[in-house]
Amino acid sequence: MPEQAGSPTLELGDARLVWGSRSYVMAIINVTPDSFSADGLATPGADIAAAALAQARRAADEGADLLDVGGESTRPGAEPIGIEEELRRVLPAIRALAAELALPISVDTYHAEVAAAALDAGARMINDIWGLRTPDRGWNAPLAQLVAARRVPIVLMHNRRAEARVGALGGHYPRVEYADLLGDIAAELRESVAYAEAQGIARGRIIADPGIGFGKTPAQNLELMRRLAELRALGLPLLIGASRKSFIGLPLGLPPHQRDEGTAAVTALAIAAGADIVRVHNVQMNVRAARIADAIVRGA
């Protein structure tokens, strides 16, 4: 039997997400110079705030429901950056977006210092690619305590360290060992959820992300998509961030900027499997894919 679900709604400032009513589209705002998808806005000499605002306005016009701002590239093989540099990138963008747009803003970070400053600047949610763990698999108590104290939602993503291979079509992880792929992912997500709740984070503020493209081989990502519906047993809203990733590009033989049609297919399949939020680069195409998928799957 599925575990007891959290709240059927999520309040994000003036926005209200009603789980099960329709799918929600999260627009990626990469304020990095080295995004795998070649859409990073922090290029030399760029006005980060202006560039982020222009992209976010377009996303809003195209139907995005949320904006996810990230200042550190997490592509396979990327090197971590310092907290000061991450703050330099994300804060101007978040301030600009919060001042002009009504869409709720998520900050893509695993650093408590960045998360706190982002919330002060206008972000409403934390998107943690390590699921309240540290990269060395310890628990990230400062971030958990911040989320609990601020009473904000958090996305807990499944992730594992793995050795990356970078080739002509970008990076991926060629070898990652799982005893039981879906079982291991579900178990590790449950551990993150249990830790979050023990730290005082309400279950109704937790969103689960199985971490497609993170610590999984291309074949494992395809299997994860095939069996995605099994993760509904977590009893939590599901976020899927598959946009332009290598498991789409490798079968098609296409670089990241040519993977939007493949991403739209994954969006529709994810919604059919029960995804509540899809995180994407090409907002217009994926909003359209989500709407027709909702019409078929949910009658929405």
Side-chain angles (χ1 to χ4, degrees):
M1 293 290 291
E3 297 176 6
Q4 181 179 358
S7 171
T9 63
L10 181 66
E11 305 291 338
L12 287 167
D14 294 333
R16 186 168 178 261
L17 308 187
V18 182
W19 305 125
S21 64
R22 69 176 181 87
S23 306
Y24 296 93
V25 175
M26 173 184 276
I28 298 168
I29 310 293
N30 277 327
V31 288
T32 65
D34 55 347
S35 169
F36 84 93
S37 56
D39 65 338
L41 302 177
T43 54
D47 183 333
I48 292 175
L53 184 56
Q55 185 170 327
R57 284 176 181 148
R58 183 167 61 253
D61 289 344
E62 292 175 349
D65 300 292
L66 307 103
L67 305 168
D68 191 45
V69 178
E72 179 179 283
S73 176
T74 53
R75 74 190 192 285
E79 293 294 327
I81 61 172
I83 288 173
E84 290 303 316
E85 177 61 16
E86 190 177 353
L87 288 168
R88 186 190 71 80
R89 295 175 184 179
V90 302
L91 292 185
I94 291 172
R95 291 188 186 113
L97 271 53
E100 180 166 324
L101 299 173
L103 294 181
I105 300 165
S106 165
V107 61
D108 184 350
T109 188
Y110 52 93
H111 294 121
E113 301 93 327
V114 175
L119 293 172
D120 291 342
R124 299 286 186 181
M125 182 165 74
I126 309 301
N127 184 6
D128 176 13
I129 67 164
W130 287 104
L132 288 178
R133 300 177 192 266
T134 59
D136 62 5
R137 306 294 287 174
W139 290 111
N140 189 341
L143 183 58
Q145 291 162 8
L146 172 73
V147 172
R150 296 292 189 97
R151 299 171 64 84
V152 294
I154 184 167
V155 178
L156 299 179
M157 196 188 84
H158 178 269
N159 202 347
R160 284 187 180 182
R161 275 192 179 277
E163 185 174 347
R165 176 183 297 165
V166 180
L169 294 179
H172 66 279
Y173 301 102
R175 183 176 177 83
V176 190
E177 297 293 335
Y178 287 88
D180 170 12
L181 180 66
L182 268 291
D184 289 356
I185 291 170
E188 291 173 28
L189 282 171
R190 286 191 177 98
E191 289 173 0
S192 288
V193 171
Y195 178 75
E197 292 184 295
Q199 294 297 308
I201 300 171
R203 187 177 181 85
R205 295 193 182 97
I206 297 173
I207 297 165
D209 178 348
I212 290 177
F214 287 83
K216 299 163 188 73
T217 68
Q220 288 166 345
N221 287 311
L222 292 170
E223 180 182 351
L224 174 53
M225 278 301 306
R226 278 194 299 272
R227 299 174 58 192
L228 188 61
E230 295 176 32
L231 293 181
R232 298 305 300 176
L234 293 170
L236 292 167
L238 287 179
L239 184 152
I240 301 300
S243 186
R244 297 182 180 173
K245 289 188 175 174
S246 61
F247 83 99
I248 297 171
L250 291 172
L252 296 174
L254 294 174
H257 69 281
Q258 295 182 29
R259 298 174 186 170
D260 286 341
E261 296 92 344
T263 298
V266 173
T267 286
L269 290 167
I271 291 168
D276 297 284
I277 303 174
V278 290
R279 180 180 179 274
V280 301
H281 298 88
N282 187 322
V283 172
Q284 184 179 77
M285 184 178 292
N286 285 280
V287 164
R288 291 173 177 175
R291 295 297 170 263
I292 190 60
D294 279 343
I296 295 167
V297 174
R298 307 179 196 269

